[in-house]
């Protein structure tokens, strides 16, 4: 039996350290080690990889990650109570577990871990989307992201064009990564149970991504989905000549945001960027700064 397997059950760790769950920190714990092992397995082969975990809590998923071939686990936790409660696990991990007390929104996961690196986490749902967006912006720095989300967010991440779940998050995530929902977990799997069903999703960096700039993708998806019921010739007006923009991207100006595929948004982002690089002179003239 490994030193980690010999540790007391998670319920005992929670009772001993009086670790009542704090709702504001999205604390819904997984205390069944079979489930945490299943999540670690969903991450694939972690041999030699440094895993960044957000929110180890009482350490169930952390134990499972240490049981893989991962080189090290760097666990970022905001709640100081768990840093103390994880002392025994740090010791049992014999130098393979580092705890970082910080708000994960404020730390750079890339700087925390050498290559190859991956993120595996049962995320605090209140900050799950901004954390994901931050990692997606640098997805090529990660081998994979294997993350537990509330199912509704997972559905949006994986949604295909044409349905109500397809939106900005779907486009940005699928543009940057291959998005693979792995399995669902019912609310009762967690202590305390959240109000919603959960889904583990794996995101792998796309080898060949449609060329476009991140900020342009954000701008065109914000405009299009900001008025998702309207046709592009209306919804893209905030970006300039909407008809011309749609045409330059090879899109039907009467189409609505929810039917445009990811490649269509990348084409829009390129067309808008090309146009907006020409614009400043024109605008300057209109404002009178370049009057001749
Ligand atoms: N990994 C544990 C498990 O599976 O049982 C706990 C998961 S719980 C859903 C989320 C964890 O993230 C909690 O331990 C919570 O304290 C921590 N957390 C919440 N917000 C955080 C933040 N901004 N930065 C780092 N950790 C955070």
């Amino acid at each position: 039996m490994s030193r980690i397997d010999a540790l007391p059950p998670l319920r005992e760790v929670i009772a001993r350290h009086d670790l009542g769950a704090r709702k504001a920190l999205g604390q819904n714990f997984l205390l069944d080690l079979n489930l945490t092992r299943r999540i670690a397995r969903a991450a694939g082969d972690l041999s030699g990889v440094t895993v960044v975990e957000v929110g180890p809590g009482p350490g169930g998923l952390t134990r499972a990650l240490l049981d893989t071939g991962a080189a090290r686990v760097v666990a970022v936790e905001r709640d100081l109570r768990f840093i103390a409660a994880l002392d025994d696990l740090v010791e049992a991990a014999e130098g393979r577990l580092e705890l970082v007390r910080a708000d994960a929104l404020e730390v750079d996961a890339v700087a925390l871990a050498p290559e190859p690196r991956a993120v595996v986490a049962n995320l605090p749902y209140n900050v799950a989307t901004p954390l994901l967006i931050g990692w997606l912006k640098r997805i090529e720095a990660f081998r994979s992201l294997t993350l537990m989300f509330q199912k509704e967010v997972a559905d949006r991440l994986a949604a295909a064009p044409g349905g109500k779940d397809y939106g900005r998050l779907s486009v940005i995530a699928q543009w940057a990564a291959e998005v693979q929902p792995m399995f669902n977990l019912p609310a009762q799997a967690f202590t305390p149970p959240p109000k919603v069903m959960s889904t583990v999703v794996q995101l792998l960096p796309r080898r060949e991504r449609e060329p476009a700039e991140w900020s342009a993708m954000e701008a065109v998806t914000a405009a299009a989905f900001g008025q998702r019921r309207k046709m592009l010739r209306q919804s893209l007006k905030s970006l300039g000549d909407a008809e011309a923009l749609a045409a330059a991207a090879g899109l039907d100006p009467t189409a609505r945001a929810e039917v445009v595929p990811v490649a269509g948004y990348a084409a829009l982002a390129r067309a808008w960027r090309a146009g907006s690089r020409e614009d400043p002179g024109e605008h300057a003239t209109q404002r009178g700064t370049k009057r001749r």
Side-chain angles (χ1 to χ4, degrees):
M1 195 194 262
S2 77
R3 289 187 63 186
I4 292 170
D5 291 338
L7 289 169
L10 294 166
R11 284 187 193 284
E12 213 176 295
V13 175
I14 289 178
R16 192 189 299 160
H17 295 269
D18 196 15
L19 300 171
R22 291 184 179 154
K23 205 171 164 198
L25 287 176
Q27 292 180 346
N28 303 101
F29 305 124
L30 285 171
L31 304 182
D32 178 345
L33 294 174
N34 290 316
L35 291 180
T36 60
R37 280 190 212 109
R38 194 168 167 210
I39 299 170
R41 274 200 306 277
D45 183 6
L46 295 172
S47 318
V49 172
T50 299
V51 178
V52 177
E53 184 192 4
V54 168
L61 180 55
T62 323
R63 291 186 191 190
L65 291 169
L66 288 164
D67 266 344
T68 67
R72 285 175 70 231
V73 176
V74 180
V76 183
E77 175 60 63
R78 193 172 167 182
D79 188 338
L80 187 60
R81 298 177 304 158
F82 292 100
I83 304 284
L86 290 172
D87 262 1
D88 290 349
L89 182 55
V90 170
E91 216 180 300
E94 299 175 335
R96 290 172 59 232
L97 172 60
E98 182 187 343
L99 299 180
V100 177
R101 193 207 165 189
D103 179 344
L105 285 169
E106 284 169 15
V107 298
D108 175 1
V110 175
L112 281 185
E115 273 191 331
R117 64 178 81 76
V119 183
V120 184
N122 171 16
L123 291 174
Y125 292 158
N126 45 347
V127 289
T129 306
L131 282 171
L132 173 65
I133 297 287
W135 298 326
L136 283 174
K137 279 185 179 167
R138 305 178 70 187
I139 186 72
E140 59 296 327
F142 298 97
R143 175 83 68 89
S144 58
L145 312 175
T146 307
L147 307 169
M148 176 89 73
F149 293 98
Q150 61 186 86
K151 183 172 181 298
E152 183 218 315
V153 174
D155 289 346
R156 283 164 49 208
L157 285 169
K164 67 170 177 34
D165 290 331
Y166 186 66
R168 283 190 80 187
L169 191 59
S170 332
V171 173
I172 299 275
Q174 293 171 33
W175 169 61
E178 284 171 35
V179 180
Q180 184 65 53
M182 307 292 277
F183 57 88
N184 294 332
L185 281 185
Q188 302 72 31
F190 300 82
T191 305
K195 289 205 173 70
V196 291
M197 175 101 127
S198 297
T199 306
V200 174
V201 179
Q202 185 166 67
L203 299 106
L204 302 174
R206 249 184 213 294
R207 286 225 181 89
E208 286 184 24
R209 171 198 295 202
E210 290 284 333
E213 284 175 24
W214 186 278
S215 59
M217 283 298 274
E218 285 189 323
V220 297
T221 53
F225 286 104
Q227 298 181 300
R228 60 184 292 142
R229 298 264 153 251
K230 301 254 167 74
M231 295 177 188
L232 295 178
R233 68 180 179 207
Q234 174 63 34
S235 60
L236 298 180
K237 272 186 177 164
S238 58
L239 299 175
D241 183 340
E243 295 251 4
L245 192 56
L251 299 174
D252 174 358
T254 67
R256 291 177 168 77
E258 63 193 24
V259 303
V260 176
V262 174
Y265 283 102
L268 262 182
R270 292 193 297 273
W272 180 64
R273 195 46 105 211
S276 63
R277 285 219 173 94
E278 287 157 19
D279 271 349
E282 255 174 55
H283 289 168
T285 309
Q286 281 164 10
R287 285 200 306 268
T289 50
K290 272 179 91 184
R291 239 180 251 145
R292 269 167 231 159

